[in-house]
Amino acid sequence: MKSLKTQQTYRLLLGIAMAAVALLWLIPVYFMVINSFKPLKEVLFTTAAFPQSLYFGNIIRVWKGANYFRLFINSAMVTSISLFFIVLFGSMCGWRIARKTSKSAPMLLNYFILPLIVPFQAIMLPLVKTLKDIGLIDSIPGLILVYIAMASPMPIYLYYGYVRSIPGSLEESAVIDGAGVNRTFFTIIFPLLSPMTSTIIILQSLFIWNDFLLPLIVLQSDRFKTIPVGIAGQFFGQYQFQWNLGITAMMLASLPMIILYLFMQRKIVSGIVQGAVKG
Amino acid sequence: MKKLNTADLKIDLLYIGPIFIVYTMLFVWPLIDGLRISLTNWDGVSTTFTYVGFRNYIRMFTQDRYFLGSLGRTFQIAFFNVIFTNVLAMLFALALTTRFRANNMYRAAIFLPNVISMVVSGFIWRFMFTQIGPAVSEATGIKWLGMAWLGSPDIVVSSIVIVSVWWGLGYIMTIYIAAIQGIDSSIIEAGDIDGCSQWQSFWRIKLPSMMPVVSVGIFLNVAGSLKIFDVIYSLTGGGPGRSSEVAMLNLYREAFVNQRFGMGAAKAIVLTVIIIMVTILQRKLTEGEKS
């Protein structure tokens, strides 16, 4: 009986400790949000205090100055189009290799393994040259193509493993019934892959939306920039000592993903676990 | 028989062809081209360049103390980041798998930084270190909060580790929680009945059955830390002086600021080889413990 009581106190203490840790983790986000609603003077002189009144001037200035809407559209476009092709190509290729009986199947699979071992840094500089040579540097299509090239191999592996766990008899009977390969794939196989598809979408959309280095070296024109690069560039250039605008820019940059996360927390977490354990 | 083969080939071309072409053109080719560029003095802009053999490789190790310094710093940051992140992630995961109210909320809070991009995280912490720290220090009288977190070469590396742990811990913790929940509870109960202490239960039962996941967790963390760039770009820009310059920042500047693409490409290859070697070594070490 006594041990039950000590166990309860132990749990209580643990709960309090973890609550403190969670609060500690939120502190930077808290200070970022409250300072976004203060004018510069308040940010400089009562930095840690709660705003005296809600001030929207920063948000309006950053929204216009950084052309936030443009950046948001660019980020959304790059992320969604890349994802569409990563899922399409990844599933088609993973399925095809998994169902191949010839000796070329393991060879093909090994050919696609490189990005899982070789970090992006290795190809970063020559990639700029390649994109220049084919005329796709400083363009959104160029950026999207690189994401497809870089990010498809992992889905190919994940889909390959998943298809191997589905019996092939379904497809065979569909083919016997006269359905073509394409119809069989898109109406029968692809829906079966949806658990894997949602994992891939979650993992890759976080990566592409937040990626900084690739758009930094590929894009130069302001009108093509994505949120991380556009906000960082703007910040470095103009708002170096205007912390009210700088921190507001950071708030606006992280807001879309934070909102998405609040609504889809469970899905995002399970997607990440799936990806890490299988990958 | 022959007809079947052409039909098969058509399907291959349709299903594997597109990604094969894109991948070959924009990943495999640059990888090969990088080896060639690393042997030249190309500036990244001119149409002409000359081959200089292995001069870039020799120079970065003999005449470039900033590069060697940045490599050492990268290792230092990676080492402390991996230790702190994984030990704390394991402790938090163990705590949050004990049943009490609101532990899902705590998990969500600790994971939150992971959905913020690293470059933005660096800025947020620059604000924390340069503005909030001094302000809170003044208000509360806690002196150390107001120290020169980013202004002193001795402290700046620790500050970078703090930000890295803050950003990356949630991810590692999440997969550790999944691993703990995946352990067959009858094994733990059997241990409890046999009179295992919490300590023994962790070292003898939980950790060994989690080892494959822990190995993946450390791997992701090691590879990520050796490539660290975004956070430092926004947090310190490599400063004060060059005291927080890491390998990736060094080679980025070499290529895009000093316009020495050939040298940058050579450094990138060296860094790649180091990352591959370290991660293979790490996988061998942590997977060896499993058996």
Side-chain angles (χ1 to χ4, degrees):
Chain A
M1 205 61 199
K2 196 188 164 197
S3 91
L4 190 72
K5 203 162 183 191
T6 42
Q7 227 176 22
Q8 272 175 343
T9 10
Y10 168 73
R11 268 188 200 167
L12 186 71
L13 285 176
L14 206 59
I16 294 170
M18 286 319 290
V21 169
L23 279 179
L24 195 70
W25 242 254
L26 292 179
I27 282 176
V29 179
Y30 168 76
F31 280 125
M32 169 177 80
V33 173
I34 63 163
N35 278 292
S36 306
F37 293 101
K38 293 182 199 168
L40 179 62
K41 221 171 126 187
E42 257 185 82
V43 172
L44 291 182
F45 296 110
T46 52
T47 320
F50 204 74
Q52 286 159 8
S53 63
L54 283 184
Y55 171 75
F56 291 96
N58 302 328
I59 294 178
I60 294 166
R61 277 193 62 187
V62 172
W63 186 278
K64 286 185 184 155
N67 209 344
Y68 185 80
F69 188 67
R70 175 87 262 175
L71 298 178
F72 183 88
I73 295 292
N74 288 346
S75 275
M77 220 159 65
V78 168
T79 308
S80 57
I81 298 174
S82 304
L83 266 176
F84 175 81
F85 284 106
I86 289 167
V87 166
L88 182 73
F89 289 163
S91 59
M92 286 169 84
C93 182
W95 171 73
R96 184 65 190 154
I97 296 179
R99 289 293 186 246
K100 258 175 125 45
T101 43
S102 67
K103 278 180 194 151
S104 60
M107 272 165 60
L108 272 169
L109 206 58
N110 282 331
Y111 182 65
F112 284 112
I113 206 175
L114 280 171
L116 305 183
I117 307 164
V118 178
F120 165 68
Q121 283 66 23
I123 66 151
M124 176 175 99
L125 301 179
L127 185 68
V128 172
K129 180 172 175 287
T130 309
L131 285 173
K132 268 184 195 161
D133 291 344
I134 56 177
L136 285 174
I137 194 89
D138 194 22
S139 76
I140 289 182
L143 183 64
I144 289 172
L145 275 176
V146 178
Y147 278 128
I148 296 171
M150 244 170 66
S152 289
M154 205 250 291
I156 291 176
Y157 271 81
L158 292 174
Y159 280 122
Y160 171 85
Y162 200 79
V163 169
R164 293 298 286 254
S165 70
I166 309 173
S169 52
L170 256 169
E171 302 152 47
E172 279 156 25
S173 59
V175 173
I176 290 166
D177 286 350
V181 178
N182 293 333
R183 239 185 84 192
T184 310
F185 179 77
F186 287 106
T187 59
I188 297 172
I189 312 297
F190 190 75
L192 285 175
L193 302 177
S194 59
M196 205 28 96
T197 303
S198 67
T199 294
I200 288 163
I201 288 177
I202 287 163
L203 284 176
Q204 304 290 0
S205 59
L206 262 179
F207 157 65
I208 296 173
W209 182 276
N210 283 336
D211 190 32
F212 176 65
L213 187 52
L214 181 63
L216 178 72
I217 61 171
V218 171
L219 305 173
Q220 280 113 38
S221 311
D222 278 346
R223 66 181 195 280
F224 296 141
K225 282 181 177 162
T226 56
I227 288 181
V229 182
I231 294 274
Q234 199 79 19
F235 183 85
F236 262 113
Q238 297 171 16
Y239 304 148
Q240 185 82 328
F241 298 103
Q242 288 176 280
W243 270 112
N244 58 327
L245 300 180
I247 204 67
T248 307
M250 295 312 125
M251 202 266 293
L252 284 176
S254 44
L255 202 61
M257 271 295 160
I258 292 182
I259 291 174
L260 199 70
Y261 174 64
L262 291 181
F263 284 107
M264 298 185 47
Q265 190 230 332
R266 255 157 223 266
K267 268 217 113 112
I268 290 177
V269 167
S270 79
I272 276 161
V273 170
Q274 290 288 321
V277 174
K278 298 217 171 100
Chain B
M1 196 63 202
K2 193 150 191 215
K3 207 180 163 198
L4 192 84
N5 275 339
T6 48
D8 245 21
L9 190 68
K10 260 189 189 163
I11 302 170
D12 280 354
L13 283 178
L14 185 66
Y15 280 73
I16 305 175
I19 186 60
F20 189 89
I21 293 168
V22 174
Y23 169 72
T24 305
M25 202 168 74
L26 293 175
F27 197 95
V28 180
W29 167 246
L31 190 64
I32 298 164
D33 201 28
L35 293 170
R36 188 172 67 99
I37 293 173
S38 77
L39 302 175
T40 71
N41 66 354
W42 192 43
D43 61 4
V45 189
S46 311
T47 45
T48 57
F49 50 78
T50 46
Y51 286 90
V52 295
F54 287 96
R55 204 179 72 189
N56 290 333
Y57 289 92
I58 296 164
R59 278 204 178 160
M60 79 176 88
F61 287 113
T62 54
Q63 289 170 31
D64 190 343
R65 66 195 171 92
Y66 287 118
F67 179 64
L68 287 181
S70 74
L71 267 183
R73 200 162 302 112
T74 308
F75 275 111
Q76 202 185 347
I77 292 170
F79 179 79
F80 288 110
N81 183 28
V82 168
I83 300 275
F84 281 115
T85 301
N86 284 279
V87 171
L88 288 175
M90 183 62 82
L91 286 175
F92 293 173
L94 287 169
L96 291 179
T97 43
T98 319
R99 236 169 280 139
F100 50 78
R101 242 176 291 158
N103 59 3
N104 259 330
M105 250 169 62
Y106 302 157
R107 259 175 83 164
I110 297 171
F111 186 82
L112 180 74
N114 226 270
V115 305
I116 301 174
S117 75
M118 286 174 94
V119 69
V120 168
S121 301
F123 277 128
I124 296 173
W125 276 93
R126 189 150 120 185
F127 182 66
M128 290 294 291
F129 285 139
T130 61
Q131 310 294 316
I132 298 288
V136 174
S137 166
E138 208 169 297
T140 58
I142 306 172
K143 277 227 175 85
W144 60 269
L145 276 176
M147 68 181 168
W149 294 95
L150 303 179
S152 150
D154 304 323
I155 308 173
V156 70
V157 168
S158 317
S159 306
I160 292 166
V161 172
I162 292 176
V163 181
S164 305
V165 171
W166 176 80
W167 187 82
L169 186 137
Y171 188 96
I172 307 290
M173 183 189 76
T174 302
I175 62 175
Y176 286 175
I177 288 177
I180 294 173
Q181 286 167 340
I183 301 172
D184 187 355
S185 59
S186 63
I187 310 176
I188 298 171
E189 276 161 28
D192 286 346
I193 292 165
D194 287 348
C196 266
S197 66
Q198 291 278 347
W199 185 253
Q200 283 171 323
S201 164
F202 173 72
W203 287 106
R204 301 270 168 82
I205 299 167
K206 285 182 185 159
L207 189 61
S209 43
M210 285 170 71
M211 219 44 217
V213 177
V214 172
S215 177
V216 173
I218 297 178
F219 163 73
L220 292 170
N221 212 209
V222 169
S225 316
L226 292 175
K227 290 185 264 184
I228 188 167
F229 175 78
D230 307 16
V231 160
I232 296 184
Y233 183 92
S234 55
L235 186 69
T236 66
R242 297 176 80 156
S243 62
S244 65
E245 190 178 80
V246 286
M248 268 306 295
L249 194 60
N250 181 285
L251 81 87
Y252 172 83
R253 283 187 174 154
E254 194 71 89
F256 294 100
V257 181
N258 303 342
Q259 303 229 302
R260 292 198 292 188
F261 248 61
M263 179 60 104
K267 286 177 173 177
I269 286 163
V270 168
L271 183 63
T272 300
V273 171
I274 291 175
I275 292 174
I276 293 174
M277 282 187 338
V278 172
T279 47
I280 289 175
L281 184 74
Q282 177 266 320
R283 286 306 282 261
K284 281 242 158 77
L285 279 175
T286 48
E287 268 162 22
E289 273 174 40
K290 185 176 57 176
S291 52

